Amino acid sequence: MQNIDILVQKIIKDNLSKEEFIRELKTKKPLVDIDVDDFENLRLLGFPVQEIDNQIIIETANTKLEEQTFCVVDIEANGSDPQVNQIIEIGAVMVRNGEEIDKFESFVETDVLPDSITMLTGITLDDLKGAPPLNFVLEKFRLFLKDAVFVAHNVNFDYNFISASLQKAGFGPLLNRKLCTIDLSRKCFQAEKYGLSFLMEHFDISFGAQHRALVDAKMADFVLRHCLQNLPVKVSTTEDLIQLSKPIKKKKKKTKDKNSYN
């Protein structure tokens, strides 16, 4: 949700009042069905916001890294489109100050599982028989996640898939701050490639078979911890970290009009 990222930076830079903040929220498409006047509801959706003396505060702008709770997440799904496919497994580890404080793992019931997904993940329909239904797992995961920073390797896939699934189930979108361990690792250390499998070889470590949700989440957590040990001195808050991870936008080269060569 790039528009939420933009709003967060605007709040931090311009010190928005409560009225200005609510007015901005009402222009955001994912929030058209959300009561944005209810700050408690926004926090339940993961938005780390509070109001002090009519000024809006984004908590992650002031939270020191050692005090921040990160939820490192991975999902497996029976396809890549959240509008027609569904999650079949969620795995996550909750970490704070370099320590795992909780974990989440669940299969999700489905009758649809392409052979290609079984070959990739090792998950079979038998594994998913008797698993909890999707809405039940999504609700449990939402309660587990709370307002932690959502972390994943290639975060947009997992974040957007879960957010779309939550919205379809009537639970509202994800509004948690998010962090990509691929983008962050590129800023923190040199490697030939930054895929999870290559990085595990790079660090000579294994957590088990890949393409299972909790295993991949633990791998991404390892990458996150390594990055946190190799940060520039200027990075001290959660928002500093999120901004550091942002890819540098390449400027588009201007194309000269052919007549300019004449």
Side-chain angles (χ1 to χ4, degrees):
M1 284 184 161
Q2 188 178 9
N3 49 3
I4 296 297
D5 281 340
I6 293 171
L7 176 58
V8 166
Q9 294 312 306
K10 187 172 183 179
I11 294 167
I12 294 170
K13 180 182 177 182
D14 298 336
N15 299 317
L16 295 187
S17 68
K18 180 178 179 180
E19 293 76 18
E20 291 170 321
F21 172 67
I22 290 173
R23 190 161 54 247
E24 286 277 355
L25 280 182
K26 288 181 177 179
T27 68
K28 308 306 179 189
K29 187 176 179 181
L31 303 179
V32 292
D33 297 322
I34 303 297
D35 181 6
V36 296
D37 296 87
D38 184 348
F39 278 38
E40 186 59 33
N41 189 39
L42 290 175
R43 291 182 65 86
L44 289 172
L45 295 176
F47 204 8
V49 63
Q50 59 175 299
E51 180 251 328
I52 299 176
D53 297 331
N54 202 44
Q55 293 294 307
I56 298 303
I57 305 297
I58 298 296
E59 293 179 354
T60 44
N62 301 312
T63 303
K64 297 298 182 183
L65 291 176
E66 60 270 20
E67 298 170 356
Q68 180 63 58
T69 303
F70 297 95
C71 187
V72 190
V73 185
D74 186 79
I75 64 169
E76 303 300 335
N78 60 7
S80 59
D81 185 347
Q83 300 306 320
V84 295
N85 303 123
Q86 76 150 74
I87 296 165
I88 59 171
E89 187 181 30
I90 300 180
V93 287
M94 196 73 74
V95 295
R96 187 189 304 122
N97 196 23
E99 297 292 331
E100 181 180 318
I101 58 175
D102 206 351
K103 65 180 179 180
F104 182 97
E105 183 179 26
S106 181
F107 280 133
V108 183
E109 180 184 39
T110 184
D111 294 326
V112 180
L113 190 63
D115 290 342
S116 58
I117 299 298
T118 295
M119 290 178 64
L120 178 67
T121 65
I123 298 171
T124 68
L125 278 174
D126 285 341
D127 293 324
L128 305 179
K129 284 181 181 177
L134 179 61
N135 286 12
F136 178 87
V137 177
L138 288 171
E139 184 177 20
K140 290 293 184 183
F141 178 73
R142 168 81 85 182
L143 294 172
F144 176 81
L145 176 64
K146 296 181 182 177
D147 63 353
V149 173
F150 186 110
V151 182
H153 216 63
N154 187 23
V155 70
N156 285 337
F157 175 78
D158 302 87
Y159 189 97
N160 292 341
F161 208 115
I162 292 177
S163 187
S165 301
L166 285 165
Q167 289 179 82
K168 284 173 65 177
F171 296 136
L174 283 179
L175 296 182
N176 300 67
R177 303 299 288 134
K178 66 179 191 280
L179 178 69
C180 181
T181 47
I182 293 180
D183 292 336
L184 182 62
S185 61
R186 289 189 174 118
K187 299 293 184 69
C188 294
F189 60 87
Q190 289 290 324
E192 186 180 339
K193 300 176 185 176
Y194 291 92
L196 269 182
S197 58
F198 186 87
L199 289 179
M200 292 308 99
E201 291 179 14
H202 177 80
F203 290 113
D204 192 23
I205 192 168
S206 174
F207 291 91
Q210 273 195 269
H211 302 299
R212 289 297 305 275
L214 188 58
V215 170
D216 284 5
K218 286 180 177 290
M219 291 180 183
D221 174 38
F222 177 87
V223 175
L224 173 64
R225 295 187 200 207
H226 186 76
C227 288
L228 291 176
Q229 294 171 358
N230 292 275
L231 293 174
V233 176
K234 64 179 181 180
V235 178
S236 62
T237 70
T238 305
E239 284 301 324
D240 289 341
L241 183 69
I242 291 171
Q243 291 311 305
L244 172 69
S245 72
K246 299 293 184 186
I248 298 173
K249 292 182 179 179
K250 295 180 179 180
K251 293 182 179 180
K252 292 183 178 178
K253 292 181 179 180
K254 293 182 179 180
T255 55
K256 293 184 178 180
D257 188 291
K258 64 181 181 180
N259 293 324
S260 64
Y261 292 101
N262 294 337

